[in-house]
Amino acid sequence: MALKPHYSSIPTVECGCDEVGRGCLAGPVCAAAVIFPYDYKNEEINDSKQLTEHKRNLLRQIIERDALAYAVAEVSETDIDKMNILRASIHCMNLAIGQLAVKPELILVDGNRFHDQWGIPYRCVVKGDATYLSIAAASILAKTYRDALMNRLAGEFPAYDWEHNKGYPTPKHIAAVNQYGLTPYHRKSFHLKNQLSLDF
């Protein structure tokens, strides 16, 4: 089933936004923002988690070609440790929105928490990446960007299997941490209790 193209029934410059990498032990959190033409349709675009790696990479090229504007941003593991993963994720989405060549009139955010830094109206949509076209497109750009980054970092630290787990806490990744310790790309703060606090 095709995703919904719009949130508003009135023609509006809508920006879909999503992030990836919140649950990782290593690497940055990445976010993307995408604005499509109001009449844009594409039945192949879906939540990035529902697509194969090959399909995501093909759709990335289509999204970058067809979007009115798009941007991808990242927040480093060092900054995640400073501000916590929730705040870092929201900040990363705002960074992506701020890089757009077209200013949106409405931001559609995947999830249930957001804090706008630009004075733009926004709507949080739970499972938005499986509901709205622009959010799904943002999830694809964020995922492909971060996967490519983790593949490059895997060359520096091959023992951690990042080319397959992308920094998520798989048994092989955890075993490598236990055997070799943390790398400079590992987040050091995930034992803290404030990872989901939101204090701006």
Side-chain angles (χ1 to χ4, degrees):
M1 186 177 69
L3 303 189
K4 296 179 182 179
H6 318 298
Y7 182 90
S8 174
S9 59
I10 301 172
T12 304
V13 182
E14 294 180 355
C15 162
C17 200
D18 199 6
E19 52 74 29
V20 66
R22 274 180 58 169
C24 296
L25 302 181
V29 62
C30 296
V34 176
I35 299 174
F36 282 128
Y38 190 77
D39 60 354
Y40 185 75
K41 296 178 182 178
N42 188 318
E43 295 189 358
E44 295 186 305
I45 293 174
N46 199 352
D47 171 11
S48 65
K49 296 184 293 296
Q50 303 300 318
L51 303 170
T52 65
E53 180 180 3
H54 177 69
K55 188 67 172 180
R56 286 193 298 266
N57 287 325
L58 289 176
L59 285 170
R60 175 181 180 171
Q61 299 175 50
I62 293 171
I63 292 164
E64 293 177 348
R65 181 195 69 196
D66 293 350
L68 285 178
Y70 69 89
V72 182
E74 65 180 88
V75 172
S76 71
E77 56 282 344
T78 301
D79 286 334
I80 291 171
D81 286 337
K82 291 178 181 176
M83 65 178 71
N84 86 33
I85 187 58
L86 178 58
R87 292 184 65 206
S89 298
I90 292 173
H91 178 55
C92 194
M93 287 190 281
N94 274 286
L95 289 176
I97 293 165
Q99 294 172 20
L100 290 168
V102 176
K103 183 177 180 179
E105 298 172 335
L106 177 66
I107 302 168
L108 302 179
V109 180
D110 182 52
N112 61 0
R113 302 184 78 176
F114 187 65
H115 175 84
D116 166 57
Q117 298 177 5
W118 307 107
I120 301 171
Y122 67 88
R123 299 289 183 272
C124 293
V125 184
V126 176
K127 297 183 179 178
D129 51 3
T131 306
Y132 288 102
L133 193 64
S134 60
I135 301 179
S139 78
I140 291 169
L141 293 193
K143 173 68 173 168
T144 54
Y145 179 94
R146 190 179 187 280
D147 282 1
L149 172 62
M150 294 307 296
N151 285 337
R152 292 195 298 272
L153 296 183
E156 295 184 42
F157 294 93
Y160 296 83
D161 198 38
W162 288 339
E163 66 271 31
H164 296 114
N165 61 51
K166 304 301 186 282
Y168 285 90
T170 62
K172 188 171 182 178
H173 185 183
I174 293 171
V177 170
N178 290 334
Q179 182 174 356
Y180 302 109
L182 299 176
T183 71
Y185 299 111
H186 276 95
R187 305 169 188 178
K188 312 301 192 295
S189 63
F190 269 42
H191 64 286
L192 301 179
K193 296 180 179 180
N194 66 345
Q195 282 299 306
L196 297 180
S197 66
L198 194 57
D199 182 17
F200 291 100

